[in-house]
Amino acid sequence: MQHRKLSNDTRYPRCGEAVETMNHIFRECPVTQGIWEVLSFAEFLKITHLEFKEWLTRVFEQISSLQCRIFCCALRAIWGDRNKRIHEKTSRSGKEIADYVNRYISELDGAKNNIPSSFQVVKRWEHPPSPFVKINFDAAYDGTTCQSAVGIVARDNEGKVLLSFSEIYRQVVSAYTAEAIACREAARIGIDMQWPQIIIEGDALGVIKKCKGRDRDRSMNGA
């Protein structure tokens, strides 16, 4: 908010106790800490010597796939509550947010159970052949604030995490653009790291097709 010159108050609007930083929003705010306590992630709050991105990487390395779903849902809920407090002047308590996360996960599980077995196809991450490095990218988009969150992970042929990257982008016009930004950042990381052979993988089919096409893209996204 302060960087966008919408407010001169640099304090986090949720609690008003400290400057609004990623660390405070997702780790230090008392409301956030209450959420992690209810969701059984409080032990990770003891890791205080790492910056936010390194902390995220540490958490993802230590939790199971099921816990990862809950953790990611909680991150999104915390950020969404922050935006609602700013733009709609509404907010929920830490317990209400934690309850929402648990309900959301339960609804996802219920929907999954209702899918016919013939459609339950789970695609697992596949190791790249040696000496390739596989860079996976993904993006989440919030149309109400025109912001996107990008996540990138690079692994070697043994599945070892070589690099992780996350960033929030503002003034993003669409979900497609958010995925395109994520793909661009994945390619940039591969070039910057000077890995000789890379595979870039994501679930944004439209973006992948654009990247594979040889014709010049004259659309707004390709400009």
Side-chain angles (χ1 to χ4, degrees), residues 125-136 153-162 190 194-201:
W125 183 84
E126 297 180 356
H127 293 254
S130 180
F132 280 85
V133 171
K134 180 179 283 190
I135 306 174
N136 290 87
V153 178
R155 300 181 179 90
D156 62 15
N157 63 298
E158 296 180 351
K160 179 182 178 182
V161 176
L162 304 178
Q194 298 183 353
W195 289 317
Q197 294 176 297
I198 63 173
I199 297 172
I200 297 177
E201 184 177 73

Side-chain angles (χ1 to χ4, degrees), residues 79-177:
W79 183 252
D81 184 76
R82 175 259 186 201
N83 290 336
K84 283 188 175 182
R85 186 171 184 84
I86 293 173
H87 301 291
E88 301 176 16
K89 309 302 180 185
T90 62
S91 64
R92 295 173 291 184
S93 68
K95 185 178 184 305
E96 288 174 329
I97 295 174
D99 289 343
Y100 161 79
V101 171
N102 284 325
R103 286 197 307 271
Y104 185 77
I105 295 297
S106 296
E107 290 174 2
L108 287 179
D109 291 339
K112 181 179 178 181
N113 292 334
N114 291 329
I115 298 176
S117 58
S118 58
F119 290 96
Q120 292 186 9
V121 179
V122 179
K123 184 177 181 180
R124 297 181 179 276
W125 183 84
E126 297 180 356
H127 293 254
S130 180
F132 280 85
V133 171
K134 180 179 283 190
I135 306 174
N136 290 87
F137 71 88
D138 200 1
Y141 179 66
D142 186 346
T144 60
T145 60
C146 293
Q147 293 183 338
S148 69
V150 168
I152 296 171
V153 178
R155 300 181 179 90
D156 62 15
N157 63 298
E158 296 180 351
K160 179 182 178 182
V161 176
L162 304 178
L163 177 148
S164 65
F165 170 86
S166 62
E167 189 66 75
I168 293 176
Y169 294 85
R170 296 177 173 83
Q171 298 181 346
V172 180
V173 298
S174 67
Y176 180 92
T177 304

